[in-house]
Amino acid sequence: MSENYAPKSAVGRWFNDRLPLLNLIYGHLLPYPTPKNLNYWWTFGGILTFCLVTQIITGLVLAMHYVADADLAFASVEHIMRDVNYGWLLRYIHANGASLFFMAVYIHMARSLFYGSYKEPRELIWIIGVFIFLLMIATAFMGYVLPWGQMSFWGATVITNLFSAIPLVGESVTNWLWGGYAVGSPLLTRFFTLHYLMPFLIFALVILHVWALHVPGNNNPEGINVVQGSQDTVPFHPHYVVKDMFALVVFLVVFAGFVFFVPNLLGHTDNYIEANPLQTPEHIVPEWYFLPFYAILRSVPDKLGGVILMVSAIAILAFLPWLDTSKVRSAKYRPLYRQFVWLFFANVILLGYLGAQTADGLFLIIGRIATAYYFAHFIIILPLLGYIEKTKPLPKSLSEPVLSPEERQMKAAASGACLLYTSDAADDMQCVDLGGRRII
């Protein structure tokens, strides 16, 4: 990273001399050395930043017209949709933005699981990411309550009632959260306040997340350590800026497709019915991105047990760097882990499907099996794989998998870094320095 960046404009130099913020931004973004083999799965970090900023901007404008009162909330949302200039567009961007935000974060997390980005020395990066995910869940849930439709009201009733399962203080905590003895205006006001503030806390954690990432540097598909500034890295700009921008354009096309053509596809029709405490919906279903955890919650007949299991399903992610005992990061070089991680992804999708179904009969039995496997993956499978799995040999550098032995030696020889020793077999050719140490 450059620590002597000099802005070209006089205003920029004046500002940077007094507050070296431009120097900090430049060093962490433009010339930042990045592994040269990052694929498009790494572009979701930038996409998530775009989603967060979009949610904050649209949320601020919507908050100017929303009324956090049980008697007026539903009507204020209809007012936004019908009377505010482009209010319908802002609301659809905000609502679908939440869904696509979670879609992108799940892909981001899946990439980290597949390539072992949570392993040493990136444990803290992963843990901060888990906290961001937890805050996203809380923020999204509170936002889902605000339209005050049938699903919003009854979703708030079901989830807040879970606090009553806490021994000794459960009822008191629930009543404090409600601001009374039932879900109503006090709870709506509190949820609106927290929903407004928490995205800024998430934004602060994202900055911390990126800062922590730039200490050890990016992981890569090979899962090997890369020396920053070596031949295995390229500057972040323009190489990955262009790549991220292309991925963002593709993402925006998908985003626009939801907003303009199927804006209510990922929502629930019951939420267009005003909240009625006297009429319970036939089937209370949360937003799709909560469904796996909702299925885990319902897999236990005991309320407290279900709450503990649901919270544990998220909390266990923070311990993943220590539960996975393998020294190899990437699933590309872990044949058994690659099969189990795909099975884990399929199991999470199955839990999501089961969360949308009724909690009885065969669905309940399969849900319990899927829940058991979810925890078994972390507690049993990952620790054992580190001891029994036979991994493939790792490449010495990022160039090794794509260059032939002759090309590697020619490249090294052209730089004058080594002497060449050849044999009949190309694979036996060595590149050593003057001290006899092997370079490639």
Side-chain angles (χ1 to χ4, degrees):
M1 290 182 287
S2 173
E3 296 183 358
N4 298 309
Y5 170 65
K8 295 181 180 180
S9 67
V11 175
R13 288 194 297 271
W14 177 87
F15 180 85
N16 198 56
D17 289 341
R18 288 152 181 81
L19 181 64
L21 185 61
L22 297 178
N23 187 44
L24 180 66
I25 295 174
Y26 178 85
H28 276 278
L29 291 181
L30 301 184
Y32 175 70
T34 310
K36 64 183 181 182
N37 67 333
L38 300 188
N39 55 41
Y40 276 101
W41 297 118
W42 262 263
T43 62
F44 281 89
I47 289 172
L48 285 168
T49 304
F50 169 82
C51 287
L52 177 58
V53 173
T54 301
Q55 291 302 98
I56 290 175
I57 294 173
T58 55
L60 286 173
V61 180
L62 291 172
M64 298 175 186
H65 303 277
Y66 178 77
V67 181
D69 183 272
D71 296 325
L72 302 173
F74 187 83
S76 71
V77 174
E78 290 302 309
H79 165 69
I80 291 170
M81 293 289 291
R82 300 171 187 271
D83 302 326
V84 176
N85 289 335
Y86 298 103
W88 62 271
L89 180 60
L90 287 170
R91 192 199 171 197
Y92 282 151
I93 289 176
H94 196 71
N96 286 280
S99 287
L100 291 175
F101 199 177
F102 272 94
M103 193 178 299
V105 84
Y106 283 137
I107 294 174
H108 191 63
M109 293 171 69
R111 186 267 299 166
S112 297
L113 291 174
F114 189 85
Y115 292 113
S117 298
Y118 52 85
K119 287 179 172 289
E120 183 185 3
R122 299 177 181 85
E123 303 98 327
L124 193 57
I125 303 169
W126 173 258
I127 292 171
I128 294 172
V130 173
F131 276 107
I132 293 172
F133 179 57
L134 188 60
L135 287 176
M136 282 180 59
I137 291 175
T139 305
F141 169 68
M142 293 174 186
Y144 188 57
V145 173
L146 299 185
W148 212 239
Q150 274 287 76
M151 205 55 65
S152 296
F153 175 84
W154 288 101
T157 302
V158 169
I159 298 302
T160 54
N161 257 306
L162 296 177
F163 288 93
S164 64
I166 302 174
L168 302 177
V169 298
E171 292 294 336
S172 299
V173 171
T174 304
N175 291 336
W176 173 82
L177 189 62
W178 287 347
Y181 297 99
V183 173
S185 291
L187 177 130
L188 189 61
T189 304
R190 294 172 186 194
F191 273 23
F192 173 64
T193 304
L194 292 173
H195 181 72
Y196 185 93
L197 293 175
M198 288 179 76
F200 297 100
L201 179 57
I202 293 174
F203 191 79
L205 283 177
V206 167
I207 295 175
L208 192 62
H209 187 64
V210 174
W211 186 9
L213 170 67
H214 283 201
V215 174
N218 291 77
N219 187 30
N220 56 81
E222 306 303 316
I224 61 175
N225 293 323
V226 172
V227 178
Q228 294 189 6
S230 68
Q231 65 174 355
D232 287 336
T233 63
V234 293
F236 182 78
H237 176 78
H239 299 82
Y240 287 110
V241 169
V242 173
K243 195 169 188 175
D244 284 358
M245 290 301 296
F246 175 75
L248 181 59
V249 169
V250 174
F251 177 81
L252 286 174
V253 171
V254 177
F255 198 162
F258 278 103
V259 170
F260 292 108
F261 295 101
V262 283
N264 296 303
L265 179 65
L266 301 175
H268 200 287
T269 54
D270 278 7
N271 232 25
Y272 279 96
I273 304 172
E274 189 171 0
N276 183 358
L278 302 179
Q279 182 181 359
T280 307
E282 182 179 355
H283 185 33
I284 300 174
V285 181
E287 289 284 72
W288 69 267
Y289 37 82
F290 297 143
L291 290 176
F293 304 108
Y294 190 55
I296 292 173
L297 170 70
R298 299 187 309 175
S299 66
V300 180
D302 177 66
K303 182 192 288 190
L304 179 59
V307 172
I308 293 173
L309 215 60
M310 181 180 68
V311 174
S312 299
I314 302 172
I316 199 171
L317 295 172
F319 299 94
L320 183 57
W322 297 276
L323 293 172
D324 188 352
T325 56
S326 176
K327 301 299 182 184
V328 177
R329 294 193 186 104
S330 178
K332 291 177 62 176
Y333 301 95
R334 300 181 61 186
L336 283 178
Y337 174 75
R338 184 164 60 247
Q339 298 177 41
F340 279 111
V341 76
W342 282 115
L343 190 58
F344 174 76
F345 294 157
N347 186 67
V348 172
I349 294 172
L350 176 62
L351 282 170
Y353 169 77
L354 295 171
Q357 310 304 316
T358 56
D360 54 19
L362 186 60
F363 292 130
L364 183 59
I365 295 173
I366 298 175
R368 288 173 177 172
I369 296 172
T371 299
Y373 183 80
Y374 179 93
F375 287 98
H377 177 81
F378 295 107
I379 299 172
I380 300 174
I381 295 173
L382 287 183
L384 287 178
L385 281 181
Y387 297 102
I388 66 175
E389 184 178 38
K390 185 177 181 181
T391 59
K392 296 180 180 179
L394 295 174
K396 297 293 187 298
S397 69
L398 299 184
S399 302
E400 186 173 330
V402 294
L403 296 179
S404 67
E406 296 90 340
E407 290 172 325
R408 293 201 300 272
Q409 294 186 58
M410 290 176 62
K411 184 174 181 179
S415 66
C418 67
L419 301 173
L420 297 182
Y421 289 84
T422 62
S423 64
D424 294 336
D427 287 340
D428 292 332
M429 298 174 73
Q430 301 289 318
C431 177
V432 299
D433 62 12
L434 295 176
R437 293 183 295 271
R438 185 174 184 271
I439 296 177
I440 298 180

